[in-house]
Amino acid sequence: MSAMNYFPNYYSIEDIFVTQEKVECKVNTRLQRMGFLDAGAETDDLEPGRTINLPLWYIKELKVNNAYFTVAVPDIYKNVHKAVCEAETTHIELGRLHPYFYEFGRYLTPYDRNHVIGRIIFETLRQRVRHLLDISKNDTDSKPDHRLDNIESKLHDAGVRTNTLYINWLQMSGNHLRISELVEEHQKKRKRAERSDDEGAGDPDTPSSKKRSTM
């Protein structure tokens, strides 16, 4: 998989890290012999109203409107919601909140019945993309890892590389343009032909030299 490909992939280590995250869920119906999922359960069954933590890889296999669990919005998105409303997300240290802030939210969005998570991750990135562009141009030597999540970190690296290539192009320090092989071969043939004509003009035994001498 490409290093810049952040889209979920079965063989992606990053995707495995994201789907291992535990998500708080509320039990909606009695689940027989599922009490082992709740460390505080006093019976073998899961009773309605109980709250348990399930891994994301299990939740995403359930139907969005399943009758068994209701997925709760994680606190990390609730904490960002106020900053999103105030358009002050650039100061948030997403890397400390969650290293896969956008990817984790993307997985949870279909299960968010209030449609909060989708708006939060969209507005957060929309507000931070300009700031991300600025630090990619200016902070080329150091990267604020604790402020960026995984996707933002990759975008920062790509921005630094692109900016470096652009500066090198402006300064012509990376100019490696070459003529095509066909043009180069044509120039060689023309030079060889010119050399042969010059050598023939200087040889008295050549027909052209004899013709000029008789004249």
Side-chain angles (χ1 to χ4, degrees):
M1 186 181 67
S2 172
M4 282 301 296
N5 183 10
Y6 57 81
F7 193 83
N9 184 288
Y10 182 81
Y11 297 103
S12 168
I13 296 298
E14 297 170 351
D15 194 52
I16 292 174
F17 287 154
V18 175
T19 54
Q20 288 292 333
E21 291 287 333
K22 296 293 184 66
V23 182
E24 184 178 292
C25 300
K26 181 181 178 181
V27 181
N28 296 328
T29 185
R30 185 180 182 183
L31 301 175
Q32 296 182 354
R33 300 183 181 276
M34 298 291 286
F36 66 90
L37 292 176
D38 184 4
E42 299 178 354
T43 63
D44 293 337
D45 302 334
L46 266 182
E47 299 297 334
R50 300 287 295 184
T51 299
I52 60 174
N53 292 322
L54 295 175
L56 181 58
W57 59 262
Y58 177 79
I59 293 175
K60 72 187 190 70
E61 298 301 325
L62 300 174
K63 293 182 178 180
V64 174
N65 296 320
N66 72 89
Y68 308 111
F69 304 105
T70 298
V71 178
V73 176
D75 291 337
I76 58 173
Y77 299 103
K78 293 179 181 179
N79 296 336
V80 175
H81 183 66
K82 182 179 179 180
V84 168
C85 294
E86 297 175 354
E88 296 181 356
T89 59
T90 55
H91 69 280
I92 298 177
E93 298 180 344
L94 286 188
R96 289 183 177 175
L97 281 179
H98 198 288
Y100 302 98
F101 179 83
Y102 297 105
E103 195 69 8
F104 188 45
R106 194 201 70 82
Y107 269 123
L108 292 177
T109 296
Y111 301 92
D112 176 21
R113 299 181 179 180
N114 295 321
H115 308 291
V116 174
I117 298 179
R119 292 198 302 268
I120 288 176
I121 60 178
F122 173 79
E123 286 297 328
T124 301
L125 184 57
R126 188 184 67 83
Q127 294 176 17
R128 288 169 66 91
V129 68
R130 173 58 62 179
H131 175 67
L132 192 61
L133 179 61
D134 292 339
I135 63 175
S136 298
K137 289 182 178 179
N138 302 322
D139 302 334
T140 56
D141 297 329
S142 60
K143 179 170 62 175
D145 292 323
H146 59 282
R147 296 185 59 189
L148 308 180
D149 97 313
N150 179 259
I151 290 178
E152 290 182 339
S153 179
K154 290 182 177 181
L155 290 175
H156 176 272
D157 293 341
V160 171
R161 288 194 302 269
T162 303
N163 188 57
T164 302
L165 291 173
Y166 177 64
I167 292 175
N168 291 339
W169 178 79
L170 289 178
Q171 298 174 349
M172 301 302 291
S173 59
N175 186 11
H176 301 292
L177 295 177
R178 296 181 56 187
I179 61 175
S180 68
E181 295 181 359
L182 291 175
V183 174
E184 187 175 7
E185 184 63 27
H186 176 71
Q187 290 178 348
K188 289 180 180 179
K189 289 181 179 180
R190 188 175 62 181
K191 289 179 180 179
R192 285 197 297 265
E194 290 175 353
R195 282 198 301 267
S196 353
D197 291 344
D198 293 340
E199 292 173 357
D203 188 354
D205 296 331
T206 59
S208 58
S209 299
K210 290 181 179 179
K211 184 178 180 180
R212 282 196 297 270
S213 61
T214 58
M215 293 176 62

